[in-house]
Amino acid sequence: MSETPAGTPGTTAGPSGDALENLLAEGRRFPPSPEFAAQANAGPDLYADAAADRLGFWAARARELTWETPFTEVLDWSGAPRARWFADGRLNAAYNAVDRHVEAGLGDRVAIHWEGEPGDTRTLTYADLQREVSRAANALEALGVRTGDRVAIYLPLIPEAIVAMLACARIGAPHSVVFGGFSAEALHTRILDAEASLVITADGGYRRGAPSALKPAVDEALAHGDTPVRHVLVVRRTAQDVDWTPGRDVWWHEAVDGAADVHAPVAVEAEHPLFILYTSGTTGKPKGIFHTTGGYLTQAAYTHSVVFDLKPDTDVYWCTADVGWVTGHTYVAYGPLLNGATQVLYEGTPDTPHKGRWWELVQKYGVTILYTAPTAIRTFMKWGEDVPARFDLSSLRVLGSVGEPINPEAWIWYRRVIGGDRTPVVDTWWQTETGGIMISPLPGVTRAKPGSAQVPLPGVSAEVVNEAGEPVGNGRGGYLVLTEPWPGMLRGIWGDERRFADTYWSRFPGFYFAGDGAKKDDDGDVWLLGRVDDVMNVSGHRLSTTEIESALVSHPWVAEAAVVGASDETTGQAVVAFVILRADAVERADEPGEGSDVVASLRAHVVHEIGPIAKPRSILIVPELPKTRSGKIMRRLLRDVAEHRTVGDVTTLADTSVMDMISAGLHGSAAAPA
Ligand code: WT7
């Protein structure tokens, strides 16, 4: 179990003490302009509607989708915590995202303006998408994929990623997208856990101006020989040489391009799994969060429409997330398409080939709604205002933020420099598990407070509670919980019912425990304060301390390891590892010039086991780790060291001299931060 935060919950990872006071002291308020409020999709009455009849409210949102068989029952909570929403209805996700718009005469509307990193482009209308998805669905069926089979998707951010997801959804085969930045080992674990029978990948993608390979990682993952994978479908993107396994490997262009462009979508039960997405938890093993069809799509379409105030016929929407994360599922693949939006999709990094690339794209496509992460905003702040100033950003009318708390300074910069001091900014709190946005201002209603996600959306019930599960009241801090089921809620952890109940539903019986600390201010607005468990947030991506520790101890030189998330100006948190070496490795580390070698080797090992996103910023070789008498590592003290603070209270340590030893060892250690 995680280290229980002593005293004030919510201060383990998030801002503490003075930092928190400064955050809450930000007094500026940004009410919506009367013009914006007058045209907004959602007005104040939405809160009243939802409060008056919560289930009726959600049923009405669900009926905005197209059902093959309408549902008669809204929520069955008798099997709590496993919810069943709209359970006797049947529908198809791809039909709702694509076909119904074509049938409504919108086939010529652009669904996706895609821009490759090297500058190549593709435009897909809804009619194009319907043909592409149908071809791909036919190809998947020809490769033996059936309703209910799992398909792993390991692709760069190219249109085929979305086509592949929708093709799976079209035949009712749950997809499991694995972010292209994860290693072969991480991919292997996920394929195995989901028992995927097909992998869809590419030869590679473009990153920072150069092709980067993907297929070798799939080959390496499958070389274990223990997965049920029968075929690997390979998109040609970079034309790199690839190793080929005849009989197993199939080119996308050979299987898909020639397939029939008509396909009858398979209507599935509302509770049929739509996808599995792995995310880090507090143990070493990632959790396969799974979402089902009807409830998830309801939450995706509704939140995307009201939070971003989407006008499908005039807006150009751009969410910068990769489809490897939940943001890319709900707010790239599903939400915008369900709502018939036109969106931008960009393959590459913000600084390739120049630091104004994003703003160039905003200008080029006339982007009106931009949704990104605080870490990106802070990076742009560092690069300077003159970069965005070179482009015309006047099309923008709503800005969104997601992934981690946004500091008021970044919020205000975002609104002023990117939004021309004119656009609402919505700070959206949610999680892989919640499926869609839960806490956020509504841009036409809420008087925005920089730094606070503020209020649960209409239909959502959230609270901040103390250790005993009682609401803390305004002005107090505690734990964020969700007190009523919602349609987009996870239905479980794939293959691990028990862990689902333990992780989310046992700490505060009857409530969903989000794992975040939060504070309610005097107005009752919610401020998110970071994780209270052993989960880190690096650049808006979730990483598990335990998972990285397991990776480190699987290295032959490592005896013990402890990992903490230390605050970082740009990435929010950064990975800092404390490692005790085995005796034979210590000798190595002591040799002149060898110490940094040890650190480099450990760092490379983490990249191999998990992926570049988990690479530690620093690895500190230490003689001991601080442990309580029951043997639990006190990460709080290590965080003090990593953040260069005076080490806190050590009285509960089994050996109170350990922290002195660590501090002494760090000065003059051969293996200081690299
Ligand atoms: C964790 C969920 C939601 C999609 C991206 C991350 C943190 C997320 C906010 C926000 C403060 C936030 C929380 C949460 N988080 N959005 N607006 N303000 N914190 O999804 O990987 O499942 O991570 O991200 O700590 O628990 P995820």
Side-chain angles (χ1 to χ4, degrees):
M1 209 22 226
S2 58
E3 180 184 332
T4 308
T8 33
T11 54
T12 352
S16 54
D18 291 350
L20 177 60
E21 287 317 311
N22 291 343
L23 209 130
L24 293 168
E26 169 53 57
R28 276 170 282 183
R29 301 290 174 262
F30 298 84
S33 70
E35 300 75 42
F36 193 100
Q39 60 80 63
N41 290 352
D45 47 326
L46 210 62
Y47 292 102
D49 289 356
D53 177 9
R54 203 173 61 85
L55 293 183
F57 174 85
W58 281 119
R61 302 290 79 75
R63 289 197 185 97
E64 287 163 18
L65 300 170
T66 304
W67 294 77
E68 198 235 24
T69 310
F71 58 89
T72 61
E73 187 185 27
V74 181
L75 169 67
D76 174 4
W77 191 227
S78 61
R82 175 80 190 265
R84 291 168 58 79
W85 284 86
F86 320 120
D88 61 347
R90 299 177 79 88
L91 77 173
N92 181 273
Y95 174 83
N96 273 279
V98 181
D99 300 58
R100 66 169 176 159
H101 306 308
V102 179
E103 288 171 13
L106 303 173
D108 291 339
R109 179 181 292 168
V110 173
I112 297 170
H113 287 296
W114 176 76
E115 181 105 3
E117 196 189 74
D120 49 334
T121 61
R122 274 172 71 189
T123 303
L124 281 98
T125 63
Y126 276 92
D128 294 333
L129 206 50
Q130 186 184 34
R131 285 187 290 268
E132 265 315 287
V133 172
S134 298
R135 284 193 193 101
N138 282 319
L140 294 189
E141 284 180 346
L143 289 171
V145 179
R146 300 285 170 259
T147 305
D149 292 352
R150 271 84 58 207
V151 175
I153 298 177
Y154 187 65
L155 282 171
L157 200 52
I158 55 179
E160 284 82 357
I162 291 180
V163 171
M165 291 165 82
L166 292 173
C168 290
R170 202 172 180 90
I171 57 184
H175 52 72
S176 173
V177 183
V178 180
F179 175 58
F182 278 117
S183 69
E185 283 310 308
L187 175 64
H188 173 243
T189 317
R190 286 158 176 76
I191 291 174
L192 214 53
D193 190 80
E195 299 176 285
S197 58
L198 177 81
V199 182
I200 306 180
T201 189
D203 48 1
Y206 288 93
R207 205 154 174 82
R208 300 228 137 78
S212 114
L214 273 181
K215 172 84 166 35
V218 177
D219 293 335
E220 192 185 328
L222 300 185
H224 288 271
D226 53 0
T227 75
V229 171
R230 290 191 302 267
H231 290 291
V232 179
L233 190 53
V234 189
V235 177
R236 187 141 72 196
R237 167 73 185 125
T238 56
Q240 284 163 293
D241 283 337
V242 289
D243 287 341
W244 205 253
T245 305
R248 186 195 72 183
D249 297 350
V250 180
W251 282 112
W252 172 282
H253 57 265
E254 286 174 6
V256 175
D257 291 1
D261 63 5
V262 212
H263 177 273
V266 178
V268 295
E269 290 175 3
E271 286 298 335
H272 185 79
L274 178 62
F275 67 84
I276 307 170
L277 184 60
Y278 286 84
T279 188
S280 297
T282 53
T283 73
K285 189 174 184 280
K287 300 180 284 198
I289 303 300
F290 78 92
H291 284 283
T292 59
T293 309
Y296 170 82
L297 295 179
T298 299
Q299 188 109 15
Y302 156 63
T303 55
H304 182 258
S305 171
V306 298
V307 173
F308 301 110
D309 191 46
L310 180 88
K311 306 286 190 281
D313 39 358
T314 49
D315 275 318
V316 179
Y317 164 90
W318 183 19
C319 166
T320 64
D322 189 279
V323 291
W325 308 106
V326 75
T327 309
H329 280 61
T330 310
Y331 299 106
V332 177
Y334 289 106
L337 296 177
L338 290 167
N339 289 331
T342 295
Q343 70 176 319
V344 171
L345 194 66
Y346 170 56
E347 178 188 26
T349 53
D351 54 353
T352 309
H354 58 81
K355 293 191 164 85
R357 186 72 190 271
W358 279 19
W359 316 122
E360 184 178 67
L361 291 175
V362 168
Q363 173 180 298
K364 174 176 175 183
Y365 293 106
V367 172
T368 59
I369 303 169
L370 180 68
Y371 191 30
T372 193
T375 185
I377 299 162
R378 291 191 294 262
T379 303
F380 295 129
M381 287 170 77
K382 270 203 302 211
W383 291 348
E385 292 183 25
D386 51 314
V387 181
R390 289 200 293 273
F391 301 91
D392 179 3
L393 307 181
S394 61
S395 54
L396 289 168
R397 63 177 203 93
V398 179
L399 300 178
S401 172
V402 62
E404 57 179 309
I406 179 166
N407 44 312
E409 196 193 349
W411 193 107
I412 285 168
W413 188 93
Y414 192 28
R415 177 180 152 108
R416 180 175 62 79
V417 177
I418 306 304
D421 245 337
R422 162 189 88 246
T423 58
V425 173
V426 286
D427 173 9
T428 62
W429 179 90
W430 59 295
Q431 310 178 296
T432 305
E433 291 87 342
T434 68
I437 297 170
M438 301 293 282
I439 303 181
S440 167
L442 286 179
V445 181
T446 316
R447 269 178 85 227
K449 281 181 190 173
S452 168
Q454 296 188 279
V455 273
L457 289 183
V460 171
S461 311
E463 252 311 340
V464 180
V465 299
N466 62 19
E467 293 281 352
E470 300 147 356
V472 291
N474 291 357
R476 308 287 298 276
Y479 301 93
L480 182 71
V481 296
L482 301 168
T483 56
E484 297 284 354
W486 65 100
M489 66 198 294
L490 76 163
R491 298 301 194 267
I493 295 175
W494 194 255
D496 203 342
E497 195 94 20
R498 177 77 193 278
R499 191 176 176 195
F500 170 58
D502 287 353
T503 309
Y504 304 105
W505 302 95
S506 65
R507 180 130 180 203
F508 301 108
F511 293 164
Y512 169 90
F513 172 49
D516 279 342
K519 179 170 173 151
K520 269 193 168 181
D521 67 16
D522 293 335
D523 301 325
D525 282 323
V526 177
W527 296 71
L528 277 311
L529 302 178
R531 303 287 309 192
V532 293
D533 54 13
D534 295 334
V535 170
M536 290 172 287
N537 190 323
V538 179
S539 297
H541 298 144
R542 211 153 120 177
L543 292 171
S544 148
T545 53
T546 328
E547 199 180 343
I548 301 175
E549 286 164 4
S550 312
L552 283 165
V553 296
S554 73
H555 190 289
W557 299 345
V558 176
E560 265 192 88
V563 165
V564 298
S567 56
D568 183 282
E569 211 176 275
T570 309
T571 58
Q573 287 188 305
V575 179
V576 175
F578 294 80
V579 169
I580 304 179
L581 295 177
R582 288 180 190 278
D584 47 339
V586 171
E587 284 158 31
R588 240 188 125 91
D590 284 343
E591 281 167 36
E594 280 285 307
S596 59
D597 227 0
V598 173
V599 170
S601 161
L602 297 184
R603 197 180 263 133
H605 184 68
V606 172
V607 171
H608 180 262
E609 293 297 304
I610 304 173
I613 46 164
K615 184 153 70 176
R617 183 183 71 186
S618 331
I619 296 181
L620 307 163
I621 307 297
V622 294
E624 273 303 335
L625 289 171
K627 287 184 188 153
T628 60
R629 274 173 284 273
S630 62
K632 197 158 65 179
I633 294 172
M634 290 194 73
R635 293 201 178 79
R636 173 171 60 82
L637 301 177
L638 294 174
R639 212 172 291 121
D640 288 341
V641 174
E643 294 176 349
H644 313 291
R645 265 194 309 273
T646 318
V647 171
D649 184 5
V650 297
T651 48
T652 53
L653 287 183
D655 173 358
T656 50
S657 67
V658 163
M659 290 315 294
D660 294 336
M661 244 156 43
I662 291 176
S663 304
L666 290 180
H667 305 127
S669 153

